[in-house]
DNA sequence: TTGCTCCTCACGTCACGTGAGGTGGC
DNA sequence: TTGCTCCTCACGTCACGTGAGGTGGC
């Protein structure tokens, strides 16, 4: 390759890794043009343009608008470009957060759905569960005839105000088993499974049960928990966590939604 | 709010955090429709739809195409949704990688440009430099009359084949100071500053100089390095790193490109 | 002659975003 | 009556992607 040898669009495309139709597009909108147009209207690029094109690649990779790149083609300096990069850094940060959320939400749902598919719905089981970050909402009021929507909406707003993506699965939190048994469809608070939460569902030995149906009703689970604990000399420790492992995301029929109820337990001391 | 109370699009939008025109768009393309259309053609949503909409939010947040979400509206099960999520996990992974690159590239260029703006171009300076990951290319041949393009193109291809984004700044690597002095415009290899590199530019005390101009010529730097080392009883250790802190990204005029040359040094032992 | 390269033109895609112009409810 | 809500229609945006139909070089 001589210094003044010119490259066809095919060659230039191969050398730079930028596709031909993108090069034509860049030409068309005026942000990067071949040094020469042949008499047959062919585009010819110089070897120097291989590195020059890098300016476009760097900026478009960092999400600078092509329009803005075009403006920078005509006038740019270290100061100006530094400014542009600083501006776009925030955009990238925001996108990165969103994508991290998307990633975590996918994994959360994969985990829950699998859990739902393998769930033992017949009887309660004792399981070791891992620690888990949660974002706890304000206390619910259930002022509206026991409907959960108003409180749920309040929680949604509250969570969004705290930068929590509401696409993370949401669960119900009862301060203890007594609260759960007393009114199983009215959690003391809601929680999001967003990893941005600062509270924890602690690791430990949990008693776990499942029940089918639309949000709220817990069927015979409260009674089952009471009986199981009595028969096995267990006592309940800390809050009760209710989470729908199968919900509107994976089930069409609300009657098939599957709730998981989990509460930490300890052996009762004999006296 | 009663169970059967219906919500206007405004209210529903506020409760769900999804903008009105998006809700109309979802309606139009048939992926999520209000339970009722008033005789005035107003859209009315049920409270149950607040949670139902979540299915659309979760899947669109995880980059599932609206078309595919529409298909899932009619037929979905834990198995099917699990499949869909698994498929989109890869897409998210790829996007996340790209965005991480974008983030790192922005910071790399900010760092280099700032370095260029503050550079002491008059004289060599001794500086402590931090460790740095680099991706080293194959040995250059300079078979083509000393032009760097063919080797650079080879390096680009090689890097891309190894999943290295070529928008990271690229530098020249000389195996030692003798090689640099012998042919300052012909680096032994090229390197990318991509953090995916497995080699290192080691931390340590470096002698650093700058020179202006288009890629290749190093001006009087080789001589300056030789003299400085002799006068200060220093010996050069390891490879020479040449990187353009101001390049086509931040400078319009190639004559203003600014190269930084850095080599690790040690005090010479007196005998 | 043949297949390859290159060209322009035009329309499609994706998930919105914007705004005009008009109706209807409290 | 007034301002608010809601409607449809239509066009814009962003960075491409696709394909038709035709020319030109070796």
């Amino acid at each position: 390759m001589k210094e003044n040898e010119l490259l066809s669009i095919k060659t230039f495309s191969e050398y730079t890794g930028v596709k031909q139709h993108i090069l034509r597009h860049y030409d068309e909108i005026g942000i990067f043009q071949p040094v020469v147009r042949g008499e047959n209207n062919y585009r010819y690029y110089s070897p120097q343009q291989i590195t020059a094109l890098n300016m476009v690649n760097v900026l478009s990779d960092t999400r600078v608008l092509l329009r803005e790149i075009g403006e920078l083609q005509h006038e740019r300096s270290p100061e100006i470009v530094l400014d542009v990069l600083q501006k776009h850094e925030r955009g990238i940060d925001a996108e990165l957060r969103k994508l991290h959320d998307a990633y975590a939400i996918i994994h959360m749902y994969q985990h829950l759905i699998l859990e739902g598919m393998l769930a033992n719905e017949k009887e309660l089981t004792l399981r070791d569960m891992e620690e888990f970050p949660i974002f706890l909402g304000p206390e619910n009021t259930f002022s509206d005839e026991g409907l959960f929507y108003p409180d749920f909406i309040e929680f949604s707003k509250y969570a969004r105000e705290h930068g929590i993506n509401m696409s993370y699965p949401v669960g119900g939190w009862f301060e203890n088993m007594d609260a759960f048994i007393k009114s199983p469809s009215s959690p003391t608070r809601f929680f999001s499974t967003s990893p941005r939460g600062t509270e924890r569902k602690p690791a430990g030995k949990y008693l776990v049960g499942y029940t089918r149906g639309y949000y709220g009703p817990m069927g015979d689970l409260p009674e089952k928990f009471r009986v199981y604990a009595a028969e096995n000399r267990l006592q309940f420790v800390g809050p009760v966590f209710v989470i729908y492992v199968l919900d509107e995301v994976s089930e069409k029929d609300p009657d098939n939604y599957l709730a998981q109820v989990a509460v930490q337990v300890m052996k009762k001391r004999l006296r």
Side-chain angles (χ1 to χ4, degrees), chain A residues 46-84:
Chain A
S46 71
Q48 289 84 341
Q49 289 192 286
I50 296 170
T51 47
L53 179 60
N54 197 37
M55 178 261 183
V56 177
N57 291 337
V58 169
L59 294 177
S60 71
D61 271 357
T62 54
R63 309 305 204 254
V64 178
L65 293 184
L66 294 191
R67 200 191 316 127
E68 202 170 348
I69 297 177
E71 289 161 16
L72 286 173
Q73 286 287 357
H74 306 118
E75 177 78 30
R76 67 180 181 281
S77 67
E79 290 79 5
I80 292 173
V81 173
L82 200 58
D83 250 33
V84 169

Side-chain angles (χ1 to χ4, degrees), chain A residues 140 142 146-148 171-190 211 213-226 240-244 259-262:
Chain A
N140 293 330
F142 287 94
L147 277 178
F148 78 93
W173 182 95
F174 298 77
E175 56 192 341
N176 54 41
M177 184 47 86
D178 288 344
F180 176 69
I181 290 177
K182 197 169 147 206
S183 44
S185 54
S186 306
T188 324
R189 308 198 203 177
F190 288 110
T211 183
Y214 190 61
Y215 295 121
M218 287 289 115
D220 54 1
L221 274 186
E223 180 62 9
K224 270 184 169 176
F225 272 86
R226 209 186 51 70
V240 176
F241 300 90
V242 178
I243 191 143
Y244 281 75
Q260 179 204 73
V261 178

Side-chain angles (χ1 to χ4, degrees), chain A residues 184-201:
Chain A
S185 54
S186 306
T188 324
R189 308 198 203 177
F190 288 110
F191 68 90
S192 166
T193 53
S194 167
R196 299 199 202 288
T198 49
E199 325 258 344
R200 307 279 144 182
K201 177 186 168 198

Side-chain angles (χ1 to χ4, degrees), chain A residues 80-97:
Chain A
I80 292 173
V81 173
L82 200 58
D83 250 33
V84 169
L85 293 181
Q86 262 157 13
K87 258 196 316 181
H88 284 80
E89 195 185 339
R90 295 169 178 263
I92 298 275
D93 281 357
E95 270 202 72
L96 214 41
R97 277 175 78 97

